[in-house]
Amino acid sequence: MARRGWPAAVRSLPAVLHNRPQKIIMEAERAVVSALASGRTVVLAYADCGTYGALDQLCARYRVRRLPGLHCYDVFAGAPRVAAMFEAEPGSYVLTDFLLRSFDRSVLAELGLDRHPELWADYFGHYTRLVWLAQQPSSALEAEADRVAGMFGLPLTRVDTGVSRLEQELSTLVKEAS
């Protein structure tokens, strides 16, 4: 934010909300109401993320804008590219840098697979490949991607996306909100 000169304060919502998207609205509304009450200009750095339009309703109610797209994958790789990826191989499981860094906690523990590994096939048996949308790849993330692909027993496709789309979308939101 400082690099861009944006007068912004960032309040993060818990990433685990992606496992329970119905709770995104409640948490986002708290953050929006709090920020508006303090006189701030507000934008949501969130795509729909499984809220099925409920986040758009919240944005309309408070006259705030959010990142475009169905999910962060659209933000990082572009909606047409993601749609084409799923059309070409519907059984794709998508990983971001964050999801790789937190896989044991946000996937295995959250789904109970650390305690009940016998459920693995029920959750993931229908996937045919893993796709890593690499925003800021490193040797540590590459190793983690290989480890996760090994757990799935599936091929890994790396798609270098960088963070430029995210930064561009955030820039648009900040400009339009100002």
Side-chain angles (χ1 to χ4, degrees), residues 4 6 65 167-177:
R4 297 286 300 218
W6 294 338
R65 295 185 34 123
E167 189 170 348
Q168 179 182 6
E169 293 297 345
L170 286 172
S171 178
T172 299
L173 285 177
V174 169
K175 285 177 188 172
E176 290 176 357

Side-chain angles (χ1 to χ4, degrees), residues 2-168:
R3 180 176 61 82
R4 297 286 300 218
W6 294 338
V10 176
R11 180 173 184 271
S12 299
L13 299 180
V16 72
L17 292 175
H18 287 85
N19 291 341
R20 290 167 183 76
Q22 69 279 10
K23 294 183 177 184
I24 291 172
I25 302 308
M26 180 179 65
E27 294 291 328
E29 186 165 25
R30 282 184 193 150
V32 167
V33 168
S34 174
L36 289 172
S38 66
R40 293 189 182 115
T41 300
V42 178
V43 298
L44 287 176
Y46 239 88
D48 184 75
C49 298
T51 71
Y52 296 100
L55 195 57
D56 288 329
Q57 293 170 6
L58 177 124
C59 289
R61 190 165 53 251
Y62 290 99
R63 294 187 177 102
V64 300
R65 295 185 34 123
R66 69 165 177 87
L67 288 173
L70 294 176
H71 33 67
C72 62
Y73 313 139
D74 289 348
V75 176
F76 291 126
R81 189 177 191 185
V82 171
M85 178 185 69
F86 282 122
E87 187 171 318
E89 192 150 356
S92 298
Y93 186 87
V94 182
L95 299 160
T96 60
D97 290 4
F98 173 82
L99 193 52
L100 281 172
R101 277 190 218 92
S102 67
F103 191 82
D104 290 351
R105 180 182 72 254
S106 60
V107 177
L108 298 182
E110 278 294 314
L111 296 177
L113 292 169
D114 56 340
R115 298 173 308 282
H116 300 284
E118 69 276 8
L119 296 174
W120 184 272
D122 293 334
Y123 282 116
F124 299 119
H126 62 284
Y127 289 103
T128 55
R129 75 169 172 170
L130 272 69
V131 177
W132 171 25
L133 301 180
Q135 294 98 63
Q136 296 177 314
S138 66
S139 57
L141 280 175
E142 287 176 17
E144 188 62 11
D146 289 339
R147 182 184 78 90
V148 171
M151 293 171 77
F152 277 79
L154 294 175
L156 174 69
T157 301
R158 176 176 150 173
V159 177
D160 290 316
T161 63
V163 293
S164 63
R165 280 186 178 282
L166 172 61
E167 189 170 348
Q168 179 182 6

